[in-house]
């Protein structure tokens, strides 16, 4: 560090920082005392955590206090999401701690899919320190991902957590609005901008300022001028994100996000001259200081740059270990773009094509489907930055602005799918570099009666007549599609271009029918069960395009019960996860789902109905004492008003197949035909030693323990009743239900979801025969009507660069992700026998890049593995981090897009 070169740090969202908190850079060996940044005014300060003695002094909590806490937090989060407004405050909580808390309170166990008896140890104190890069200012580390590293909760939930568990520090995230061209979104601002502010002409010192992206320019200017002790009326700010193009910030009422101010960038403060005018230009000959600790001085080979260029290099990034081993700054949920760009950057033919300048020969500025060469130019400029060897981190800001201009769906800071971005970019580069300057109009060609070879060549020539580019030459192949009409036998064969392969990970349903296996719970042993079993497993076969109502009607015919007396639901881990509505399609029911049907007594039909959901929990000792759900939950149709004793009798009667009721005293079997006087006379004391009943109203976060002395218990639809069984009564009375497997279910088909799948298997499924469903009917020119035809795809020709998309997300439900491990070859992917036109000529590929997706969709994160171009070294790219790794680091569960190059 040069003599006299100092730095100060400031949080723009906090009050002015005292001089004692401004520290020189680099920091001395003894770190300064960390002072947490004050919470925004709208975030009430939580009460101090209770001391240990205070906790011991409190009366013993009810056995359901943890579950009630979980419901309370769930309600606060749902209300916060439903009423989110700009300026609201949310708080970040470390994911590891939050996951422990969720297990502790069975957060997912009561309303959704609970863990399989995972232990419920208290989570301990909150520890958010691993999330911070600057503890003194509660500055969150760059590159962290919601769902993997942290979770977001309203400040009211943070206060609940802090009051009970203590710890910290509190990380406040004000809600901001991100505006794209076509949409806006609200989200908490987790990672505030870290900006390095330099007052011209003295670049010997700077201040580090943390600011929300929602901070307006006028407020930011005022804060900066206060810190630098200059007048804001005589100062203005320059954005120095790009050393070649400093930008004067002029829209004073706009937030920093709209001004494209990036994290970790330089901001210059320029003052008016003594005569009141602005300087004619920015200085160009100032010696570059070393601004950041652990940043090497600028080497002599950058002497051809301006002083500001050298300053930018010294601040923002050091040279990479190898050209191309360069990270990309996350500009706000742009990991989907960064991962795809890193894979394409290491696509040798494409990058060589751009680096050698050959792309300029093909630019088509007149193509109405292109972008007048602007997208290709922006991509070429980005590749130049990645491979120039000057900076180990590059901010693709200009490139993203060009993408937003031509594809507004990628505007703003929302997360997107990397495959969608890849498709846009490759197609956009193709149109910008299309060698066909004037696309001719071509009538559809008739391939009827022609051999495959002739038909494929004619179809490809037809395609090339309008589409000739480097992208077509290297990334596009041809598929043969064969469709057969089941009615008239008409065969239609087409040959279509394809940019990438989207391979299924699960077997498609190639039959027009499917068998759904249902566990029917009777209220008394049916005649079909030989040994008095009350649960019978049936196999119900319906057409693939049937509805749940059709499924229920078929089950009704099979078992001889009216469909209105049957209730179908999905049960997972002793919890009802959802009911199956009559309009729901059967193809939405996965073969792995545990479908249960319940027989509702017809005697209940005279009641004003209320459907309540009965669940059970008990104490278990392993791995340590805790409570867990058990048994089969079930819905019950009950009157809207019933006594506590009547409720207990009704529940025991419903579960009589699971209970040894002969051990009970004071028990009178309950029947739906009982009068109100008979119900009132039932003994309420017999169940007190068996269980307590906790009620949860729908859309509520409050758990209520029912009072056994209640003469009238109000019940409502979808009310959850949780029976907390007591030991040793449970051991004496409970017995497991026996299941009789009906012959219709004896020949159960294996699930179509495997524990592991190979890429070869995925390719086999892609080319297997498919029966088109009701939503994909094919119009047959022979029948002149839409038909559920049989369709088969085959590879006719495949490109030198083969992109393989693994379909981890279900087509109809983006929230469902398949984390199935996929075994894929790194070398010698042999496609010879799969390509119909190969004629035995070997066609093999080697893997050179992988786009990864971790987590779910709401909090997912993209990274990339790639063989560094020109080397045999695997590298790992995670936004601004670029490191060397090994082939062993490739993940079979996270791999989302595979990139292969022909040998």
């Amino acid at each position: 560090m040069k003599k006299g070169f100092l730095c100060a740090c400031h949080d723009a969202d906090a009050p002015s920082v005292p001089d004692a908190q401004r520290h020189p850079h680099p920091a001395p060996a003894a770190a300064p005392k960390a002072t947490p940044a004050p919470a925004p005014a709208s975030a009430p300060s939580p009460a101090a955590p209770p001391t240990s003695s205070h906790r011991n002094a409190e009366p013993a909590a009810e056995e359901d206090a943890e579950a009630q806490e979980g419901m309370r937090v769930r309600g606060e989060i749902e209300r916060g999401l439903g009423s989110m407004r700009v300026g609201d405050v949310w708080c970040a909580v470390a994911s590891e701690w939050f996951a422990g808390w969720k297990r502790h309170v069975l957060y997912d166990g009561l309303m959704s899919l609970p863990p399989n008896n995972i232990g419920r140890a208290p989570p301990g104190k909150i520890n958010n320190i691993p999330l911070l890069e600057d503890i003194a200012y509660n500055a969150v580390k760059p590159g962290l991902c919601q769902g993997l590293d942290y979770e977001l909760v309203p400040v009211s939930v943070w206060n609940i957590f802090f009051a009970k568990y203590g710890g910290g520090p509190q990380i406040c995230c004000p809600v901001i609005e991100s505006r794209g061209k076509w949409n806006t979104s609200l989200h908490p601002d987790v990672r505030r901008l870290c900006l390095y502010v330099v007052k011209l002409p003295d670049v010997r010192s700077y201040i580090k300022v943390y600011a929300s992206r929602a901070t307006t320019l006028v407020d930011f200017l005022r804060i900066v001028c206060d810190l630098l002790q200059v007048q804001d009326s005589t100062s203005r700010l320059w954005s120095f994100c790009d050393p070649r193009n400093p930008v004067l910030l002029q829209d004073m009422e706009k937030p920093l996000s709209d001004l494209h101010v990036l994290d970790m960038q330089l901001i210059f403060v320029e003052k008016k001259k003594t005569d009141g005018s602005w300087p004619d230009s920015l200085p160009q000959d100032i010696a570059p200081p070393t601004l950041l600790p652990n940043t090497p001085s600028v080497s002599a080979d950058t002497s051809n740059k301006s002083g500001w260029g050298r300053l930018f290099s010294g601040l923002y990034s050091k040279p990479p270990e190898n050209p191309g081993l360069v990270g990309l700054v996350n500009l706000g949920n742009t990991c989907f773009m960064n991962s795809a760009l890193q894979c394409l950057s290491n696509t040798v033919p494409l990058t060589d094509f751009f680096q050698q300048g050959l792309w300029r020969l093909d630019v088509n500025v007149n193509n109405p489907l292109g972008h007048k060469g602007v997208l290709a130019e922006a991509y070429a400029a980005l590749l130049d930055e990645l491979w120039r060897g000057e900076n180990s981190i590059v901010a693709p800001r200009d490139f993203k602005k060009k993408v937003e201009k031509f594809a507004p769906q990628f505007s703003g800071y929302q997360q997107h799918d990397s495959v969608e971005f890849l498709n846009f970019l490759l197609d956009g580069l193709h149109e910008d570099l299309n060698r066909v300057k004037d696309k001719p109009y071509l009538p559809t060609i008739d391939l009827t009666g022609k051999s495959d070879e002739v038909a494929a060549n004619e179809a490809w020539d037809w395609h090339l007549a309008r589409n000739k580019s480097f992208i077509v030459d290297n990334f596009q192949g041809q598929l043969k599609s064969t469709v057969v009409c089941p009615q008239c036998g008409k065969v239609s064969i087409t040959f279509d271009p394809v940019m990438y392969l989207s391979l299924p990970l699960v077997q498609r349903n190639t039959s027009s029918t499917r068998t759904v296996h249902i566990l029917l719970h009777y209220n008394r042993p049916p005649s079909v069960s030989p040994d008095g079993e009350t649960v019978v497993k049936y196999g119900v076969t319906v057409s693939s395009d049937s509805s749940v109502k059709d499924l229920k009607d078929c089950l009704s015919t099979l078992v001889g019960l009216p469909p209105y007396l049957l209730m179908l639901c999905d049960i997972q881990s002793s919890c009802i996860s959802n009911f199956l509505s009559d309009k729901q399609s059967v193809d939405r029911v996965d073969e792995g789902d545990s479908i249960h049907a319940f027989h509702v007594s017809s005697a209940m039909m005279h009641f004003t109905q209320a459907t309540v959901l009965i669940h059970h929990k008990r104490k278990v000792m392993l791995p340590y004492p805790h409570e867990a759900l058990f048994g089969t939950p079930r819905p019950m149709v009950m009157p809207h008003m019933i006594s506590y004793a009547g409720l207990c009798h009704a529940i025991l009667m419903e579960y009589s197949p699971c209970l040894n009721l002969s051990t009970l005293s004071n028990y009178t079997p309950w029947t739906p035909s009982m009068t109100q006087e008979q119900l009132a006379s039932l003994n309420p004391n017999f169940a007190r030693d068996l269980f307590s009943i906790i009620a949860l109203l729908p859309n509520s976060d409050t758990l209520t323990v029912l009072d056994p002395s209640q003469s009238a218990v109000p019940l409502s639809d979808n009310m959850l009743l949780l029976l907390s069984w007591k030991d040793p009564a449970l051991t004496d009375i409970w017995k497991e239900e026996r299941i009789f497997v009906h012959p219709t279910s004896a020949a159960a088909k294996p699930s179509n979801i495997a524990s592991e799948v190979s890429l070869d298997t995925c390719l086999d499924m892609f080319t297997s025969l498919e029966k088109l469903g009701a939503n994909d009917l094919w119009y047959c020119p022979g029948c002149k009507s839409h038909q559920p035809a049989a369709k088969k795809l085959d590879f006719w020709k495949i490109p030198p660069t083969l992109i393989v998309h693994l379909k981890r997300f279900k087509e109809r439900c983006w929230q469902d992700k398949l984390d199935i491990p996929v075994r894929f070859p790194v070398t010698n992917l042999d496609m010879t026998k799969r390509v119909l036109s190969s004629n035995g000529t070997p066609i093999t590929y080697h893997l050179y890049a992988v786009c990864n997706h971790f987590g779910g969709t709401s909090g997912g994160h993209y990274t990339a593995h790639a063989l560094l171009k020109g080397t045999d070294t695997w590298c790992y790219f995670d936004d601004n981090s670029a490191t060397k790794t090994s082939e062993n680091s490739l993940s079979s569960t996270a791999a989302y897009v595979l990139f292969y190059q022909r040998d």
Side-chain angles (χ1 to χ4, degrees):
M1 184 180 71
K2 294 192 177 184
K3 183 177 181 181
F5 181 62
L6 301 176
C7 159
C9 186
H10 179 72
D11 185 348
D13 297 323
S16 298
V17 180
D19 291 339
Q21 291 187 16
R22 301 180 188 171
H23 43 82
H25 238 331
K33 182 178 180 180
T35 305
S42 57
S45 300
T51 62
S52 176
S53 60
H54 180 69
R55 292 193 187 98
N56 293 337
E58 292 178 349
E62 295 182 359
E63 61 180 355
D64 302 291
E66 290 82 6
Q68 188 167 355
E69 176 186 327
M71 292 301 99
R72 181 184 177 193
V73 167
R74 182 186 296 276
E76 291 288 339
I77 292 176
E78 291 177 351
R79 280 191 289 272
L81 289 172
S83 61
M84 184 179 289
R85 294 172 299 179
V86 174
D88 289 351
V89 176
W90 287 58
C91 296
V93 181
S95 289
E96 184 177 359
W97 184 90
F98 191 71
W101 173 83
K102 288 173 70 176
R103 290 193 297 269
H104 176 57
V105 301
L106 274 182
Y107 185 80
D108 294 324
L110 291 175
M111 302 296 290
S112 184
L113 304 181
N116 296 324
N117 295 340
I118 297 177
R120 295 176 60 189
K125 290 185 177 181
I126 303 170
N127 181 18
N128 281 341
I129 292 178
L131 303 180
L132 302 177
E133 70 170 351
D134 193 328
I135 298 177
Y137 297 95
N138 276 12
V140 176
K141 293 177 180 177
L144 299 187
C145 179
Q146 183 180 353
L148 296 177
D149 303 296
Y150 65 86
E151 301 290 346
L152 289 169
V153 298
V155 69
S156 57
V157 172
W158 169 266
N159 292 339
I160 294 172
F161 289 162
F162 186 79
K164 182 171 182 179
Y165 304 103
Q170 184 180 18
I171 303 174
C172 292
C173 311
V175 174
I176 64 173
E177 183 180 62
S178 295
R179 290 187 290 273
K181 288 190 176 181
W182 287 354
N183 52 50
T184 61
S185 63
L186 297 177
H187 60 89
D189 188 16
V190 179
R191 164 72 184 178
R192 288 173 293 171
L193 297 171
C194 177
L195 303 173
Y196 296 91
V197 180
V198 177
K199 184 176 70 171
L200 298 177
D202 180 16
V203 295
R204 300 281 177 177
S205 63
Y206 72 93
I207 58 174
K208 185 166 66 172
V209 181
Y210 289 101
S212 168
R213 290 167 176 80
T215 304
T216 61
L217 180 60
V218 63
D219 289 339
F220 184 71
L221 175 62
R222 176 184 51 78
I223 292 169
V224 167
C225 290
D226 286 346
L227 288 169
L228 297 175
Q229 298 180 354
V230 297
Q231 292 184 3
D232 55 357
S233 60
T234 61
S235 303
R236 63 182 182 181
L237 302 177
W238 288 82
S239 172
F240 199 70
C241 177
D242 185 346
R244 300 163 296 183
N245 185 30
V247 176
L248 177 63
L249 302 178
Q250 303 181 77
D251 297 323
M252 303 304 293
E253 298 303 324
K254 283 190 174 182
L256 297 179
S257 58
D258 285 3
L259 298 172
H260 300 287
V261 175
L262 301 181
D263 192 26
M264 303 289 291
Q265 76 159 70
L266 276 171
I267 297 289
F268 293 147
V269 181
E270 185 180 41
K271 286 181 55 62
K272 286 184 177 179
K273 296 188 292 187
T274 55
D275 62 2
S277 62
W278 294 107
D280 296 331
S281 62
L282 292 176
Q284 296 293 319
D285 55 353
I286 299 178
T290 303
L291 289 179
L292 293 179
N294 303 322
T295 301
S297 300
V298 180
S299 58
D301 60 1
T302 63
S303 58
N304 59 326
K305 292 185 181 180
S306 67
W308 292 114
R310 296 193 298 269
L311 175 62
F312 174 82
S313 297
L315 169 69
Y316 205 68
S317 174
K318 61 183 180 180
E321 183 179 350
N322 294 93
L325 187 58
V326 176
L328 290 170
V329 175
N330 191 317
L331 306 178
N333 277 333
T334 56
C335 57
F336 74 94
M337 179 182 75
N338 292 347
S339 59
L341 288 172
Q342 295 288 11
C343 293
L344 290 181
S345 172
N346 288 281
T347 301
V348 176
L350 181 65
T351 299
D352 286 348
F353 175 73
F354 274 90
Q355 285 187 316
Q356 295 168 12
L358 299 177
W359 66 277
R360 297 186 182 276
L361 303 176
D362 294 340
V363 172
N364 189 338
V365 297
N366 298 318
N367 185 357
L369 299 179
H371 314 101
K372 300 187 182 300
V374 174
L375 183 63
E377 185 176 7
Y379 183 71
L382 179 60
L383 282 180
D384 181 59
E385 288 192 83
L386 291 175
W387 292 94
R388 192 186 302 158
E390 293 180 353
N391 300 305
S392 59
I393 303 175
V394 167
R397 175 173 173 264
D398 289 342
F399 177 77
K400 184 174 187 292
K401 288 173 64 177
K402 298 298 190 303
V403 170
E404 291 177 346
K405 178 180 180 181
F406 301 118
Q409 67 268 29
F410 296 116
S411 298
Y413 303 97
Q414 295 175 331
Q415 182 64 280
H416 296 277
D417 181 18
S418 63
V419 173
E420 293 178 3
F421 173 76
L422 269 172
N423 188 51
F424 158 76
L425 180 56
L426 290 176
D427 186 66
L429 292 177
H430 155 65
E431 295 295 356
D432 267 8
L433 304 176
N434 197 339
R435 304 183 195 110
V436 180
K437 306 303 181 184
D438 185 14
K439 292 190 176 185
Y441 170 77
L442 297 174
T444 303
I445 56 176
D446 184 8
L447 304 179
T448 305
K450 298 180 181 179
S451 67
D452 283 354
E453 184 174 359
V454 172
N457 289 337
E458 288 188 12
W460 190 249
D461 290 340
W462 186 92
H463 177 62
L464 293 182
R466 294 173 56 86
N467 301 277
K468 280 185 181 180
S469 70
F470 183 87
I471 302 299
V472 172
D473 297 341
N474 287 271
F475 291 89
Q476 289 192 6
Q478 194 177 32
L479 293 178
K480 176 187 176 183
S481 174
T482 305
V483 183
V484 180
C485 177
Q487 187 70 25
C488 68
K490 170 71 175 178
V491 178
S492 173
I493 297 177
T494 58
F495 292 86
D496 304 304
V498 62
M499 183 83 76
Y500 58 87
L501 305 179
S502 285
L503 302 186
L505 302 189
V506 296
Q507 182 65 52
R508 290 180 300 213
N509 182 19
T510 58
S511 172
S512 59
T513 63
R514 64 177 303 176
T515 300
V516 180
H517 300 276
I518 301 176
L519 291 169
L520 176 56
H521 300 255
Y522 290 88
N523 50 23
R524 62 179 59 87
S527 58
V528 297
S529 59
D531 298 317
E533 297 93 343
T534 56
V535 181
V536 180
K537 185 177 181 180
Y538 291 98
V540 183
T541 302
V542 294
S543 61
S544 298
D545 56 356
S546 297
S547 66
V548 169
K549 182 181 183 303
D550 299 327
L551 176 67
K552 190 184 294 185
D553 290 341
C554 291
L555 177 64
S556 170
T557 303
L558 179 63
V559 302
L561 293 172
Y564 64 86
L565 294 182
L566 298 173
M567 300 180 67
L568 271 62
C569 62
D570 181 15
I571 295 179
Q572 301 286 348
S573 300
S574 298
C575 181
I576 297 176
S577 61
N578 67 279
F579 286 95
L580 275 61
S581 66
D582 285 349
K583 295 182 179 180
Q584 184 176 343
S585 176
V586 171
D587 65 1
R588 294 286 189 97
V589 180
D590 290 335
E591 290 189 29
D593 290 347
S594 183
I595 304 302
H596 293 249
F598 294 91
H599 174 205
V600 180
S601 172
S602 59
M604 292 300 302
M605 294 299 105
H606 72 274
F607 284 115
T608 302
Q609 298 178 26
T611 303
V612 295
L613 313 179
I614 310 297
H615 290 68
H616 306 267
K617 70 174 183 177
R618 64 181 175 186
K619 292 181 179 179
V620 296
M621 301 307 295
L622 296 175
Y624 47 80
H626 65 283
E627 291 183 327
L629 296 180
F630 77 100
T632 301
R634 64 183 64 195
M636 287 183 62
V637 178
M638 301 288 292
H640 274 290
M641 193 69 69
I642 190 172
S643 68
Y644 183 89
L647 178 61
C648 292
H649 279 80
I651 292 173
L652 290 178
M653 187 66 183
E654 180 71 18
Y655 278 92
S656 57
C658 309
L659 303 174
N660 184 10
L661 297 178
S662 62
T663 62
L664 297 180
S665 59
N666 302 321
Y667 171 67
T668 302
W670 176 89
T671 63
S673 60
M674 281 185 171
T675 64
Q676 294 295 331
E677 291 76 14
Q678 289 173 317
L679 288 173
S681 66
L682 292 175
N683 191 325
N685 297 318
F686 75 95
R688 290 185 177 180
D689 295 331
L690 296 179
F691 52 74
S692 59
I693 303 178
I694 302 107
L696 175 66
L697 290 171
N699 302 317
S700 171
D701 57 357
T702 302
L703 289 170
T704 303
V705 179
L706 299 184
D707 185 354
S709 64
Q710 283 182 265
S711 59
V713 178
L715 302 178
S716 62
D717 272 338
N718 296 319
M719 174 185 283
L720 187 149
L721 296 180
L722 182 63
L723 272 60
S724 180
W725 286 84
K726 301 175 181 179
D727 286 328
L730 179 62
T731 305
D732 297 333
I733 194 174
W734 191 273
K735 58 182 180 181
E736 293 297 329
E737 288 182 288
R738 293 176 298 156
I739 300 175
F740 171 66
V741 179
H742 192 267
T744 57
S745 182
K749 295 180 180 180
S751 171
N752 66 336
I753 300 179
S755 58
E756 185 183 60
V757 66
S758 68
L759 185 61
D760 273 341
T761 301
C762 295
L763 290 166
D764 289 340
M765 289 188 286
F766 181 79
T767 56
S768 63
L769 184 68
E770 175 187 8
K771 295 287 187 179
L772 300 181
N775 298 325
D776 302 303
L777 296 179
W778 173 67
Y779 182 79
C780 175
C783 299
K784 306 296 183 183
S785 63
H786 289 87
Q787 297 289 344
K791 180 180 179 181
K792 189 179 187 304
L793 296 176
D794 289 292
F795 303 109
W796 184 259
K797 67 176 293 183
I798 51 179
T801 302
L802 181 63
I803 300 177
V804 178
H805 164 221
L806 303 176
K807 296 171 68 173
R808 292 197 176 275
F809 299 98
K810 295 185 180 179
E811 293 180 3
R812 296 180 176 86
C813 187
W814 175 253
Q815 284 73 24
D816 290 341
K817 182 186 176 186
L818 299 171
D819 287 316
I820 302 173
V822 179
R823 289 181 284 106
F824 48 88
V826 176
T827 59
N828 196 32
L829 171 62
D830 193 346
M831 298 289 289
T832 307
K833 295 181 179 180
R834 298 185 182 275
V835 180
L836 299 183
S837 62
S838 68
N839 295 321
T841 303
I843 302 176
T844 59
Y845 288 82
H846 67 271
L847 184 75
Y848 71 89
V850 180
C851 177
N852 307 299
H853 183 275
F854 296 92
T857 56
S858 59
H861 183 58
Y862 289 95
T863 66
H865 284 87
L867 271 175
L868 191 63
K869 186 178 80 77
T871 74
D872 58 358
T873 302
W874 280 96
C875 298
Y876 185 60
F877 300 92
D878 185 356
D879 286 334
N880 63 333
S881 173
T883 57
K884 292 183 178 180
T885 183
S886 67
E887 178 185 312
N888 295 332
S889 65
L890 298 177
S891 172
S892 62
T893 56
Y896 185 44
V897 187
L898 307 175
F899 293 76
Y900 282 95
Q901 193 68 46
R902 185 178 294 176
D903 295 326

